[in-house]
Amino acid sequence: MRISRAAETYATHLADVRRLAPATVRAYRSDLADLTAASGDAELTDIDLEQLRDWLWQATQRGDARSTIGRRTSSARGFFAWAVEEHLLDTDPSLRLVAPKRGRTLPKVAASDSLTALLDLLREAAAEGDPVALRDHALLELLYGAAVRVSELCGLDLDDIDAQRRTVRVLGKGSKERVVPFGGAAGRALDAYLIRGRPPLLARAAEGRAPATAAVFLGVRGGRMGTRAVYDVVSRVLGPELGAAVGPHALRHSAATHLLDGGADLRAVQEILGHASLGTTQIYTHVSSERLTATYRLAHPRA
């Protein structure tokens, strides 16, 4: 069996049996497509360790990031381990394939006072009643207040919000559902948007003869808001603060860091973020530690 055919079967297995998220399956497809191209779509049984190392070396020569090469190493190891389990191969050629060590890249985090000031400005703009301004304020407050992923935000339906308990039910990675709390600021912004902002946007869908949707956040034509539109909103608002093109994850990073700065338990933050591993959450302890060190060096006379 050629690699391309085996890779397609493996991708189906990941989606239907292991039920991985669509984005994760796409990443595996992409990595294995790159391996297929590099090998000339060779027979699966013809691939050996040296060919796999050469494939990763080519990626290094192209200037691919270490994180990309590391992910491709992981994809190859998962693929060949599956091939052995399925009796497509007798031995696994990727067993000794080693990923390059990844440098630690700390996420960009907005200062809490600056972020508060930005959100207050958005609240004042939304008070004038423009539906889009009301929506943008609500979605940014919720991204920060509940630390949800952009895909989770875009997937929200009206019955996922419990306004009384101030919680939101989201569907995270691997189709895992969790309930996340949000604060008063996000609650007030959501109430204002749902009462005064969403109905005019939904009316636009009717005017364009688009089907009605239960989505919480709507685009300018009244349909469910997409991730690209949310990225644009966040980049416009947070870009000047962080000095770079940023996306919704910057608000999630900021929320996690500010929770730990405020004394939140690491495991509680893990639950809020929906991380499967505590190790993933621990990067925010490094962010908090480095911010503390930077403050010390600026403020202490004997630093």
Side-chain angles (χ1 to χ4, degrees):
M1 182 183 292
R2 294 194 177 274
I3 291 180
S4 58
R5 183 181 170 192
E8 187 60 34
T9 305
Y10 178 55
T12 302
H13 167 79
L14 294 177
D16 297 344
V17 178
R18 292 184 54 188
R19 303 188 65 81
L20 297 187
T24 304
V25 176
R26 284 196 298 272
Y28 274 101
R29 285 182 187 274
S30 174
D31 294 338
L32 295 176
D34 191 76
L35 174 60
T36 300
S39 68
D41 198 10
E43 288 289 334
L44 197 61
T45 51
D46 290 340
I47 299 297
D48 57 22
L49 178 61
E50 290 307 312
Q51 286 175 294
L52 293 174
R53 286 173 172 168
D54 185 64
W55 168 52
L56 296 182
W57 179 83
Q58 290 178 36
T60 302
Q61 293 300 106
R62 287 198 304 265
D64 289 0
R66 282 189 295 178
S67 59
T68 301
I69 298 171
R71 191 196 68 214
R72 286 186 172 166
T73 304
S74 178
S75 295
R77 294 184 68 172
F79 170 62
F80 286 105
W82 165 85
V84 171
E85 290 176 2
E86 294 295 312
H87 305 293
L88 300 176
L89 289 173
D90 294 328
T91 58
D92 184 346
S94 70
L95 283 177
R96 292 168 55 202
L97 191 65
V98 179
K101 290 185 178 180
R102 295 178 61 179
R104 191 181 73 189
T105 302
L106 297 179
K108 291 185 177 294
V109 173
S112 57
D113 54 352
S114 298
L115 194 51
T116 297
L118 285 169
L119 292 171
D120 285 344
L121 286 174
L122 287 175
R123 175 175 50 79
E124 293 171 6
E128 298 181 7
D130 177 70
V132 173
L134 285 161
R135 181 205 66 191
D136 291 352
H137 179 223
L139 73 85
L140 287 165
E141 286 281 11
L142 194 60
L143 280 171
Y144 178 55
V148 294
R149 301 177 178 93
V150 62
S151 58
E152 296 168 348
L153 179 97
C154 292
L156 284 177
D157 288 335
L158 293 172
D159 59 3
D160 292 324
I161 296 175
D162 188 330
Q164 186 174 0
R165 291 187 174 87
R166 285 184 183 169
T167 60
V168 61
R169 184 177 65 243
V170 298
L171 194 64
K173 288 186 175 180
S175 298
K176 293 180 180 178
E177 187 179 280
R178 71 184 190 282
V179 176
V180 186
F182 56 83
R188 289 187 291 274
L190 270 172
D191 287 343
Y193 163 65
L194 293 175
I195 294 170
R196 297 161 49 211
R198 188 178 180 277
L201 291 175
L202 189 62
R204 296 180 185 180
E207 291 170 4
R209 297 183 180 179
T213 176
V216 173
F217 293 104
L218 305 180
V220 293
R221 292 188 177 89
R224 185 183 294 274
M225 197 173 186
T227 57
R228 182 69 261 169
V230 177
Y231 267 88
D232 290 342
V233 172
V234 175
S235 180
R236 172 167 46 82
V237 175
L238 279 191
E241 164 63 16
L242 295 183
V246 295
H249 235 60
L251 284 166
R252 180 170 159 89
H253 294 322
S254 299
T257 304
H258 297 163
L259 281 167
L260 290 170
D261 285 346
D265 179 74
L266 186 63
R267 288 205 174 272
V269 176
Q270 177 192 4
E271 291 293 325
I272 290 170
L273 297 177
H275 286 161
S277 167
L278 188 64
T280 307
T281 314
Q282 283 177 327
I283 189 171
Y284 298 109
T285 64
H286 300 311
V287 177
S288 294
S289 175
E290 293 205 357
R291 284 155 58 92
L292 181 62
T293 301
T295 300
Y296 172 84
R297 287 174 177 166
L298 286 172
H300 199 288
R302 305 285 287 180

